[in-house]
Structure formats: structure tokens, C-alpha cells
Amino acid sequence: MSTFKDKIDISRLPKHIAIIMDGNGRWAKERGYDRIYGHQNGVISVREVTEAAAEIGIEYLTLYAFSTENWGRPQHEVDALMELLIDTIEKETPTLNKNNISLMAIGDLSRLPLEAGKKLNKCIDQTSSNTGLNLVLALSYSSRWEITNALKNISTDIIQGKLSQNQINDELIASYLTTKSIPDPDLLIRTSGELRISNFLLWQIAYSELYFTNTHWPDFRKESLYEAICDFQNRERRFGK
């Protein structure tokens, strides 16, 4: 039986895939459980999709794990998410090393609880020499925060004489973003049927291909990712030309 993985042209893989992992809460509600149950099952999808991306040779996978707006959720849900984050990072570090995956993080990481920040930095350090997939977690991230922060830093450097106004161009702005060492996404996936970007990588997805699926994140597994990649490979990318 043919699978979507069999149809993928390995010579034309997207270099960078970004995913808005949506639908954990709706998935849990449909089954009569609390939202946290959905987040817990969403971790299984994170593991599967990360393994799938690594197996076929994707270079960068960015997962929108926690937005700056998510801090406004009920405190018990935020606390549970942070606890889940710490637990998952600690448990998955050996697996990341086994699969030659390095962990990176973007966002306003200073807002993370102290213990979460420590565990995150430890995992980043312990996987930094791996040369396979780069797994990027967007934590306490929003694009408007990122762009605003970049503009503040650019203006500071102009005031301090490190930059002149006529040096400002696309490349310079990109170098002040949290993604400065990461290529722009070729493919952006959003699960759970919502047709919006939700303040995610707004600068970086200027020419990304967008893929929306009704599948809730806890049901999005390896074949789901391969199907999205097949859809991507059937498109013609013109970059505005």
C-alpha cells in the first residue's frame, strides 16, 4: 500500500517547516476531558513529527509551543503547561541526542519560570553538537513582540553610533530578529482548521507556502506531515516573481 512518505521527492524537501500546533483543547473537549489532557497527548505528536522530519532529512522544524498571549490563559493551565514543558524537555533530551537532533528556542525566554528556563538551557547545551535536524521551540513568542524588540535594538544602536539610518534594509532587520541564524520557513502548517497566522513568524513567512488541515494537533502524526510535504511539492513557488 502506497503512503505519502513513498511519494515524497527527497531532492525537493522544504529546508524549514514551521507548525502552529492548534487544537489540543478542542481535541480534549470532544472526548470529555480537560484541556491539559489534550496538551499531554499533543506531546506524542511533537515526538512523532520531530522523528518524521529527522528521518527524511528536514533541516529545521519550528514548533509554536507557547505564545506571549498564552500567558493570559487561566493560571492553572499555564502552570500545567510549564510543568509539562519541563518534564518533556528533561525526558526527551536523550532521544534528541540519539537521533542527532539539536534543540533551539526563540521568544521572550526571560518570562519563563526559572526552573523551565534552566531545563531548557541545559537541553540546548547538551544537544548543541548534534548535526541533524534543528528543532526550534517558539516559547513565549509572538511576531509583534519580536519585531518591536528588533526595532528597539536597532534604534539603540543608531543612537550609540553603531549603525546609521541608511544601513537599514531587509537583511539588517532580519539580523536583529530571534531567528537570525535560521532560514525562513518554506512551509507553514496550521492544524485544527483555523485559517489564521496568530502572530507567528510574520516577517519570516513572507514567501512561505501555507498549509491548513482540519486535523487537531494530537491526531497529527508522521503521515500527516508527509501529506503536507507532498502538497508543498506539488506547488510552484515564484517568490513574487
Side-chain angles (χ1 to χ4, degrees), residues 189-203:
I189 298 168
R190 180 169 188 146
T191 60
S192 201
E194 300 292 351
L195 305 178
R196 55 177 177 268
I197 304 302
S198 295
N199 207 355
F200 184 49
L201 300 176
L202 298 178
W203 176 277

Side-chain angles (χ1 to χ4, degrees), residues 143-154 176-178:
S143 201
R144 287 185 175 182
W145 162 83
E146 178 184 41
I147 293 169
T148 301
N149 197 54
L151 292 175
K152 286 179 180 178
N153 290 331
I154 288 171
Y176 278 78
L177 300 176
T178 61

